[in-house]
Amino acid sequence: MLRKLTEEVEGLTALDGASRAAAGWVARATRSDAVKNTLSGTWLGHQLHPMLTDIPIGAWTMASVLDLTAGSAGAASARRLVGIGLIASGPAAWTGASDWSETYGATQRVGLVHALLNVTASAVQASSWIARRRGRRGLGIALTGAGLCVTACSAYLGGHLSLARGVGVNHTAFQRTVEDWTDVAAVSDIGDGEPLRVTAAGVPVVLVRHEGVLYALSATCTHAGGPLDEGRIVDDGCIRCPWHGSVFRLTDGKATRGPAAVDEPRWEVKTDGGRVHVRSATD
């Protein structure tokens, strides 16, 4: 049933107007490199949003556990846990919104419903905290349980976004390792500052000559699979993905600007007889 409902959400084109408007607002709010890098987890080397979601989910779950097992003796602790979950839901929402703003179509529709469910769950938990604060413990317990049910539905959609739609997944994770030097192009084919797409044993690679030095990275952006060879060289010897603006350093593939959080695989390069040879870097 959940799968069928998810498929119906994916096809709700009526959501597109609201989705695009909200995504545009989030994109403007997260435009600066510092904000995007912080929310994307570029500094961490891993998407930040999945880590932060564990805090509110865990806090609200444990509040319900105390409600069911500790009785009135656990009332104060349960209320604190509801509050902690509410506080943690803010950063979790912002990191998720930043990731979501880079999606399109069916994925963006599911993400919008996922966000609306999270907002609803937070509102219910806030009502629970207020009820508990006012001494209406029974109502607070019921509201926390209801909020957890909404959170569970939202979590299902979040898992679908990551595991079925590939949001936040490293798109080079299963890329083949090429251990042998492989002839991929003529040296004369590579213009300065002009990325060139080649293939090494079936793996797409982008070659770049920058200030007289040849560099090679995997051509598939780790963030969403964008073609780096269609990107452009930017300051400090980096290449920018044309899809979402992720930036990677040519020397080592280091992600220097989100939304990418995972570094780009680097390739070793050598020239021999006017030909360019590459192989997967071992470090």
Side-chain angles (χ1 to χ4, degrees):
M1 182 182 68
L2 286 174
R3 182 184 303 173
K4 181 174 178 58
L5 287 173
T6 301
E7 291 174 353
E8 291 181 358
V9 171
E10 289 177 335
L12 284 177
T13 56
L15 296 175
D16 288 349
S19 292
R20 284 193 291 265
W25 182 84
V26 173
R28 289 190 293 274
T30 60
R31 181 181 298 127
S32 77
D33 290 356
V35 172
K36 179 59 74 172
N37 287 352
T38 298
L39 296 177
S40 298
T42 305
W43 55 276
L44 184 64
H46 182 286
Q47 292 290 327
L48 188 57
H49 178 63
M51 297 173 57
L52 295 185
T53 60
D54 287 349
I55 302 174
I57 293 174
W60 293 334
T61 300
M62 293 312 299
S64 286
V65 170
L66 286 178
D67 288 335
L68 294 173
T69 62
S72 59
S77 296
R79 179 168 58 83
R80 292 191 189 98
L81 284 168
V82 172
I84 290 170
L86 285 169
I87 294 170
S89 66
W94 267 109
T95 54
S98 177
D99 294 343
W100 170 77
S101 68
E102 313 287 356
T103 63
Y104 308 96
T107 300
Q108 193 174 83
R109 295 169 202 141
V110 174
L112 179 63
V113 175
H114 171 68
L116 292 174
L117 287 173
N118 283 334
V119 170
T120 300
S122 294
V124 174
Q125 296 292 356
S127 299
S128 171
W129 188 90
I130 293 171
R132 292 168 187 269
R133 179 75 175 179
R134 293 176 176 174
R136 303 180 65 183
R137 182 169 174 266
L139 177 59
I141 291 173
L143 287 171
T144 292
L148 271 178
C149 290
V150 178
T151 296
C153 294
S154 176
Y156 178 88
L157 292 181
H160 179 78
L161 287 169
S162 294
L163 303 176
R165 306 296 302 187
V167 177
V169 174
N170 175 10
H171 284 254
T172 64
F174 302 106
Q175 176 180 282
R176 175 182 176 183
T177 298
V178 181
E179 298 179 351
D180 298 327
W181 286 108
T182 305
D183 187 332
V184 292
V187 174
S188 58
D189 290 339
I190 309 169
D192 194 67
E194 300 176 1
L196 176 67
R197 185 185 185 92
V198 296
T199 301
V203 181
V205 176
V206 57
L207 298 176
V208 178
R209 185 193 303 278
H210 179 64
E211 296 182 349
V213 180
L214 276 177
Y215 301 97
L217 300 175
S218 291
T220 302
C221 178
T222 57
H223 168 245
L228 289 185
D229 51 288
E230 296 180 14
R232 63 186 181 88
I233 308 304
V234 294
D235 295 338
D236 301 323
C238 297
I239 187 168
R240 184 187 299 275
C241 178
W243 282 10
H244 304 107
S246 295
V247 177
F248 303 93
R249 200 158 53 206
L250 292 172
T251 54
D252 56 6
K254 175 71 176 177
T256 62
R257 201 267 183 190
V262 179
D263 298 340
E264 195 68 29
R266 183 179 68 84
W267 293 68
E268 296 178 357
V269 185
K270 74 173 183 179
T271 59
D272 184 18
R275 302 292 300 178
V276 179
H277 301 256
V278 300
R279 68 178 179 185
S280 300
T282 56
D283 54 18

